[in-house]
Amino acid sequence: MTYAVSVDTRVADGSSELDELQRVGAGALLEDGFESVVEIEGPDGTEVKLLDTFVGVYPGGALLKVFVDAPALELAEEAVRELVEELLERTELLAEWTVERCQVELRPDLAQESLAAAEGPDAPPDDLESRRARLMGLAGGGTAPTDPSATSVETEAIRSKIRTLAPRLAAIGAGMFGVPEEGEQSPRQAAASDDSVISTEEAELAAGALIWGTDVLLDELFQDAHALDREGTNVAECARPLWLLDELPPRHALQYDARFARRFLVTAISLTTRLTQGSFKKLSCVAEELTLRLLLREAEVTLETFGLLDEGVAAALKHFADRVHEDMDHASLYEDGMPYTEEADPPTPLAPAPTDLSTWFTPFNKGDYVHPYAADEPETDTSGNPAA
């Protein structure tokens, strides 16, 4: 079956970040290396077919998406890791780069398919919980505990793991999650009859889950874009199951084609980059509002999966959503009814109607950042000049 393997490669420790020219060069070297490969020899001579690749270079390294046809998930991960390490080693300018992460995001239905495909004494455990811990190394890289009494220990390890991710959400402080400063009341405390407040730990769990959810979000969007491109179709007519794009407002499903998927993916990368590098100020367009909606859902699913979505963490996520979303106009896209018409109150030029998909990638205000690849084409007058 087909697997999308995410590989995060980094420049050598102590090296300076790549400038724009170096990023272009590194991307070309990686793409040339992949183009020379058709099949990968996996463990014990297993053949793993290379189907497609995506190379995204950033100042600190490169994010790679490698689509392969492999008998099982573990074989796909191992074969891709060996391939990438070999490509880096034999490319002089990249020889000191390292592979920090190489994995397929584990999901229950994907795991079940992989389990069905795997055979032999070394096949992964049938229990999905054990397999999840084994593959993702949540408790420090070891296999899942078989003793039920160890469940609480594993949960605490996962809790700690997620909290350590919180500082990577560099643009968002604890106050955005409702943690009160000295002398203040949190929104949760003000609304409750008791003295409960959103704690720093709850805020860290919420922030860490957003970082965790970012990996899942981008992986799923990568896979959906690949599926639509391969099928040459749109979300409404795609015969293959999709991870995420079919959760966008269904009224426009016929317009969610491969081009749209790539634009939405680039928007998600732009938004999550600003959140993690500290430059985020506010959401820039409708597509970013929808991206954040999906990211919040991924964070909630992550926390719920590991039994960590208690009242306090849920309140922290809600406070974050309320603070970041300036309004909830985008929610109307999920409601039944007719799209925007001229009879309704018209939007201002800098606040387009969210029901019109053609403006989803249009900045709300002058100066709001939307990635050039995703941005809507500017309107022009009859002479071809930008409209005033």
Side-chain angles (χ1 to χ4, degrees):
M1 65 174 291
T2 299
Y3 296 96
V5 185
S6 300
V7 187
D8 191 4
T9 62
R10 304 286 177 86
V11 298
D13 289 341
S15 299
S16 58
E17 292 191 339
L18 306 174
D19 59 31
E20 185 174 354
L21 182 60
Q22 289 173 324
R23 294 199 295 273
V24 171
L29 290 171
L30 289 166
E31 288 171 355
D32 288 346
F34 282 124
E35 286 178 3
S36 66
V37 179
V38 177
E39 287 189 344
I40 315 167
E41 184 173 327
D44 301 323
T46 306
E47 289 187 356
V48 176
K49 187 175 182 180
L50 182 63
L51 302 176
D52 199 3
T53 59
F54 173 89
V55 177
V57 182
Y58 60 95
L63 174 64
L64 314 175
K65 285 288 178 178
V66 185
F67 297 89
V68 295
D69 185 9
L73 183 150
E74 287 82 1
L75 298 177
E77 290 180 340
E78 189 169 348
V80 170
R81 175 180 284 276
E82 290 180 359
L83 170 63
V84 173
E85 289 177 342
E86 182 181 340
L87 289 179
L88 294 176
E89 185 178 351
R90 74 185 191 196
T91 306
E92 183 178 353
L93 296 176
L94 307 178
E96 295 185 1
W97 285 31
T98 58
V99 176
E100 298 295 316
R101 179 175 69 101
C102 179
Q103 67 182 44
V104 175
E105 290 296 335
L106 187 64
R107 299 169 180 83
D109 49 355
L110 184 62
Q112 197 61 56
E113 274 195 73
S114 185
L115 280 169
E119 297 177 350
D122 295 324
D126 289 336
D127 173 52
L128 291 181
E129 292 298 314
S130 299
R131 191 167 195 249
R132 179 184 66 198
R134 170 183 171 181
L135 291 177
M136 301 177 76
L138 298 177
T143 57
T146 55
D147 182 357
S149 65
T151 302
S152 60
V153 175
E154 182 186 353
T155 299
E156 287 308 307
I158 296 168
R159 182 192 301 273
S160 176
K161 171 72 173 180
I162 292 177
R163 287 183 66 188
T164 62
L165 298 176
R168 292 173 57 185
L169 200 68
I172 307 298
M176 287 288 283
F177 292 96
V179 176
E181 295 185 7
E182 188 173 352
E184 289 183 338
Q185 264 195 334
S186 78
R188 181 183 174 205
Q189 184 179 16
S193 57
D194 56 17
D195 293 329
S196 62
V197 298
I198 296 174
S199 68
T200 299
E201 178 180 347
E202 289 166 340
E204 288 176 350
L205 277 171
L210 287 167
I211 292 297
W212 188 298
T214 293
D215 279 353
V216 179
L217 176 83
L218 296 181
D219 277 335
E220 291 178 338
L221 289 176
F222 269 114
Q223 293 180 64
D224 283 355
H226 175 70
L228 293 177
D229 186 57
R230 189 173 181 182
E231 297 292 317
T233 187
N234 56 65
V235 167
E237 299 173 334
C238 187
R240 300 179 63 178
L242 297 170
W243 292 112
L244 206 59
L245 288 179
D246 56 356
E247 295 186 21
L248 291 177
R251 68 175 70 186
H252 295 300
L254 285 168
Q255 295 175 266
Y256 304 149
D257 56 11
R259 166 66 176 158
F260 171 88
R262 291 192 293 269
R263 294 174 71 195
F264 197 84
L265 169 60
V266 168
T267 299
I269 293 173
S270 173
L271 172 60
T272 53
T273 297
R274 301 201 319 275
L275 285 169
T276 53
Q277 74 177 15
S279 60
F280 176 81
K281 301 299 181 185
K282 61 180 180 177
L283 299 173
S284 297
C285 60
V286 173
E288 285 199 349
E289 290 182 323
L290 294 171
T291 297
L292 184 63
R293 181 188 179 104
L294 296 176
L295 178 57
L296 285 163
R297 192 218 63 169
E298 297 288 7
E300 290 175 353
V301 169
T302 296
L303 292 164
E304 191 170 23
T305 298
F306 299 124
L308 299 174
L309 188 62
D310 58 24
E311 179 185 347
V313 181
L317 282 173
K318 183 180 185 304
H319 186 71
F320 169 76
D322 291 343
R323 291 289 299 274
V324 174
H325 283 296
E326 295 186 6
D327 59 56
M328 294 301 292
D329 288 351
H330 67 279
S332 65
L333 291 168
Y334 291 89
E335 298 173 359
D336 292 333
M338 297 298 292
Y340 170 81
T341 63
E342 292 184 359
E343 286 73 23
D345 292 336
T348 64
L350 297 181
T355 50
D356 185 358
L357 185 139
S358 67
T359 59
W360 282 12
F361 301 93
T362 299
F364 289 135
N365 301 286
K366 290 180 179 178
D368 287 350
Y369 180 78
V370 174
H371 194 283
Y373 179 88
D376 292 313
E377 293 293 330
E379 295 183 2
T380 58
D381 58 25
T382 55
S383 63
N385 297 314

